[in-house]
């Protein structure tokens, strides 16, 4: 009978990439007789690809289930007690326990109440993992919660948007925000035959790029028939007599809309952590050490979109919500919680996306990031092609490179182009991680044949030009 509590209990809050990667890795380290694993997920899905949602909405991915990496049943077969539709409402750090509410049990009965009245219980833990993810920013504007206004963060959100598209006769869509989600959702809606207007607060789309590179994205999107409205903040969402969304208003204009998609970005979902007094950074994300332990707490780990990560180029903490990081965090956490050892050293800030046939990529620092970090730098921008100029379908691309003044250390690269442009950023990501100079980069032995690149790869052309800017500067 003493058996049940001689084994340790690992409790995981959040059942997507970081949480379930941690669960799976911990289970590989220790069997069910040594380590009990209980995971709570408040949604209807676990282990899904949020990054795939725009492509499902746009029709590139036909079935929702294709975005599910592992079903709850598959997790349970591996000895993980995954409790779906169960929300953790409180972390009691002093008592080493969490309060969990069953969202389904409160929904029965004629009253139609939501799960707020669901059954609650306290579950104790020996080790805790916080993987609560991020929440889409929903500014408190009039009409923002009207039917027809959608955020896209979870599979539940994606399904709700598809349901709206299916039953809405009109074909006018407004996307608010022009970051990754904004441009990807603009593409999805164009693919579905909608007239798309993107309303963006910034001077240019893709604020993760410098404005001169964002300008290229802006021009390309307009060329695809997307109406770009920059330098414009949404002030309210207007509704029709039926209460549904009818238009989006800015200071100067109104844009008719049968459906509105919010792509304003996300914030770390750290409400529980903050209430429990755990350490948060400037971006409201949890702060961890390199083993992904919450700073100052021996038996609590955190990972995924709810944490801040070290930027290896600037030396500062950043919040970057990406599935690649979440899966790596989960593996590190699972190894450590399972009695092994692993670390997550940090990121260089690589991201890639596309809108129709335009590929957009970036890694390292933008100009304003370099200035904020106190670094002096030179920038160069070059035009090249994805293949040898004489080879069929050679597509243009623009590469911008930042290098540190005097030392020549690579600081960042941004690429905007057509097919073959985006994944070239990975060369720069490796160079940044290795702290290479642009001079060292010019000698990189990259693969060449006319179908794949010009003799001088675009990244190397930019590096050569950067060498000139750094070392030949008067």
């Amino acid at each position: 009978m003493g058996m049940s509590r001689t084994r340790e209990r690992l409790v995981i809050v959040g059942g997507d990439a970081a949480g379930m990667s941690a669960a799976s890795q911990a289970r590989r380290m220790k069997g069910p007789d040594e380590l009990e694993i209980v995971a709570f997920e408040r949604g209807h899905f676990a282990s899904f690809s949020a990054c795939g949602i725009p492509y499902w909405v746009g029709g590139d991915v036909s079935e929702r289930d294709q975005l599910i990496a592992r079903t709850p049943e598959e997790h349970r077969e591996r000895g993980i007690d995954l409790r779906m539709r169960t929300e953790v409402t409180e972390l009691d750090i002093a008592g080493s326990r969490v309060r969990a509410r069953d969202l389904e049990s409160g929904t029965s009965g004629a009253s139609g109440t939501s799960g707020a009245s669901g059954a609650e219980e306290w579950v104790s833990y020996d080790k805790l993992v916080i993987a609560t993810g991020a929440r889409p920013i929903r500014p408190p504007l009039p009409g923002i919660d009207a039917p027809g206004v959608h955020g896209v963060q979870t599979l539940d959100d994606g399904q709700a948007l598809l349901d709206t598209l299916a039953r809405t006769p009109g074909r006018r869509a407004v996307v608010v925000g022009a970051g990754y989600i904004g441009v990807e959702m603009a593409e999805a809606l164009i693919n579905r035959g909608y007239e798309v207007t993107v309303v963006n607060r910034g001077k240019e789309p893709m604020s993760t790029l410098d404005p001169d590179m964002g300008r290229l994205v802006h021009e390309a999107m307009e060329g695809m028939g997307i109406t770009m409205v920059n330098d414009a903040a949404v002030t309210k969402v207007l509704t029709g007599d039926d209460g549904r969304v009818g238009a989006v208003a800015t200071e100067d204009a109104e844009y008719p809309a049968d459906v509105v998609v919010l792509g304003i970005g996300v914030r770390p979902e750290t409400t529980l952590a903050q209430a429990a007094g755990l350490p948060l950074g400037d971006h409201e994300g949890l702060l961890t050490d390199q083993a992904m332990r919450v700073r100052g707490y021996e038996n609590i780990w955190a990972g995924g979109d709810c944490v801040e990560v070290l930027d290896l180029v600037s030396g500062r903490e950043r919040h970057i919500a990406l599935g690649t990081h979440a899966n790596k965090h989960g593996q590190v956490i699972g190894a450590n919680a399972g009695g092994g050892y692993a670390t997550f050293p940090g990121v260089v800030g690589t991201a890639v996306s596309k809108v129709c046939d335009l590929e957009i990529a970036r890694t390292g620092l933008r100009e304003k990031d370099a200035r904020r970090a106190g670094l002096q730098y030179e920038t160069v921008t070059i035009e090249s092609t994805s293949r040898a100029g004489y080879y069929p379908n050679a597509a243009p691309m623009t590469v911008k490179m930042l290098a540190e003044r005097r030392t020549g250390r690579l600081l960042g690269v941004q690429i905007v182009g057509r097919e073959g442009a985006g994944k070239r950023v990975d060369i720069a990501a490796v160079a940044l991680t290795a702290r290479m100079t642009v001079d060292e980069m010019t000698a990189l032995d990259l693969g060449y044949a006319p179908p794949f690149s010009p003799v001088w790869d675009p990244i190397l052309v930019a590096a050569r030009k950067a060498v000139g800017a750094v070392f030949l500067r008067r």
Side-chain angles (χ1 to χ4, degrees):
M1 74 151 220
M3 174 69 188
S4 65
R5 281 310 271 161
T6 53
R7 60 176 184 162
E8 287 189 308
R9 181 185 288 154
L10 172 65
V11 165
I12 296 174
V13 185
D16 197 16
M20 297 321 291
S21 291
S24 299
Q25 182 64 28
R27 177 52 75 230
R28 282 193 280 273
M29 307 283 294
K30 285 191 170 166
D33 50 338
E34 284 186 279
L35 182 69
E36 179 189 4
I37 304 177
V38 182
F40 297 103
E41 168 52 50
R42 65 185 179 187
H44 289 89
F45 307 95
S47 296
F48 64 88
S49 167
C51 310
I53 293 172
Y55 307 105
W56 166 42
V57 172
D60 295 315
V61 175
S62 53
E63 295 294 321
R64 179 181 70 200
D65 290 357
Q66 291 173 266
L67 300 183
I68 297 173
R70 230 177 233 151
T71 64
E73 293 69 39
E74 288 171 314
H75 282 300
R76 290 178 193 128
E77 278 163 19
R78 301 176 73 223
I80 296 165
D81 179 5
L82 172 55
R83 305 185 193 176
M84 300 298 296
R85 298 288 292 137
T86 308
E87 179 167 23
V88 171
T89 57
E90 190 181 341
L91 307 175
D92 173 11
I93 305 298
S96 296
R97 57 183 193 158
V98 305
R99 188 207 295 260
R101 175 189 291 159
D102 178 353
L103 297 177
E104 294 289 323
S105 65
T107 54
S108 55
S111 63
T113 54
S114 75
S117 57
E120 296 200 356
E121 64 168 328
W122 285 101
V123 178
S124 61
Y125 64 81
D126 299 293
K127 295 174 173 174
L128 176 67
V129 176
I130 302 170
T132 43
R135 64 179 182 278
I137 296 169
R138 255 189 127 89
L141 300 173
I144 196 86
D145 293 322
V149 180
H150 291 267
V152 278
Q153 181 76 0
T154 64
L155 289 192
D156 291 308
D157 297 336
Q159 189 62 62
L161 173 58
L162 278 171
D163 293 345
T164 291
L165 296 179
R167 60 167 185 262
T168 304
R171 311 302 289 172
R172 295 167 306 183
V174 172
V175 177
V176 182
Y180 299 108
I181 297 292
V183 300
E184 288 167 3
M185 291 310 303
E187 172 186 352
L189 292 160
I190 282 268
N191 287 352
R192 286 207 169 258
Y194 280 75
E195 280 176 57
V196 178
T197 301
V198 178
V199 181
N200 171 39
R201 282 176 63 161
K203 285 204 172 1
E204 298 293 353
M206 298 301 293
S207 63
T208 52
L209 304 176
D210 286 322
D212 52 339
M213 296 296 280
R215 177 84 207 163
L216 301 176
V217 177
H218 174 175
E219 289 163 4
M221 287 175 72
E222 295 211 311
M224 295 164 193
I226 296 167
T227 303
M228 282 297 309
V229 182
N230 293 307
D231 252 337
V234 172
T235 51
K236 60 179 175 235
V237 176
L238 305 169
T239 52
D241 298 336
D242 55 0
R244 285 184 43 78
V245 62
V248 168
T250 65
E251 290 284 316
D252 311 317
E254 288 178 13
Y255 303 94
D258 303 298
V259 61
V260 173
V261 177
L262 302 177
I264 311 171
V266 296
R267 287 215 177 91
E269 179 48 88
T270 48
T271 318
L272 293 174
Q274 188 169 15
L278 298 177
L280 303 186
D282 294 343
H283 310 278
E284 296 175 26
L286 275 154
L287 295 175
T288 71
D289 61 17
Q290 289 202 6
M292 302 307 298
R293 268 193 181 86
V294 173
R295 289 182 198 169
Y297 295 84
E298 191 58 28
N299 62 338
I300 306 177
W301 289 263
D305 293 356
C306 66
V307 305
E308 295 186 19
V309 291
L310 176 65
D311 181 317
L312 296 173
V313 190
S314 69
R316 295 167 160 240
E317 315 286 349
R318 292 175 64 182
H319 178 245
I320 305 178
L322 279 179
T324 48
H325 304 167
N327 281 293
K328 289 173 192 148
H329 293 167
Q331 289 221 311
V332 168
I333 291 168
N336 291 319
Y341 173 67
T343 60
F344 181 79
V347 304
V348 293
T350 310
V352 61
S353 62
K354 78 178 189 75
V355 50
C356 299
D357 67 341
L358 187 78
E359 300 185 0
I360 306 159
R362 52 97 64 221
T363 188
L365 309 182
R366 297 166 297 182
E367 291 194 45
K368 70 177 182 184
D369 303 321
R371 285 195 296 271
R372 201 177 287 149
L375 297 167
Q376 294 197 1
Y377 60 89
E378 302 290 343
T379 76
V380 296
T381 302
I382 62 106
E383 311 277 334
S384 185
T385 53
S386 57
R387 303 180 163 119
Y390 54 77
Y391 193 87
N393 302 323
M397 77 175 76
T398 304
V399 179
K400 178 174 181 175
M401 190 170 277
L402 275 73
E404 187 175 15
R405 187 173 293 174
R406 214 168 55 76
T407 69
R409 175 167 73 106
L410 181 68
L411 295 179
V413 170
Q414 300 165 37
I415 306 175
V416 175
R418 306 287 166 165
E419 186 194 0
K423 284 295 277 177
R424 269 188 165 80
V425 79
D426 291 340
I427 304 166
V430 174
L432 281 169
T433 306
R435 297 183 70 89
M436 292 178 77
T437 65
V438 287
D439 198 24
E440 288 166 336
M441 287 177 70
T442 60
L444 283 172
D445 185 8
L446 304 181
Y448 161 68
F452 300 101
S453 82
V455 171
W456 283 92
D457 189 274
I459 291 281
L460 300 188
V461 176
R464 282 180 72 179
K465 191 171 178 185
V467 168
V470 168
F471 296 116
L472 304 180
R473 195 171 174 277
R474 54 202 175 280

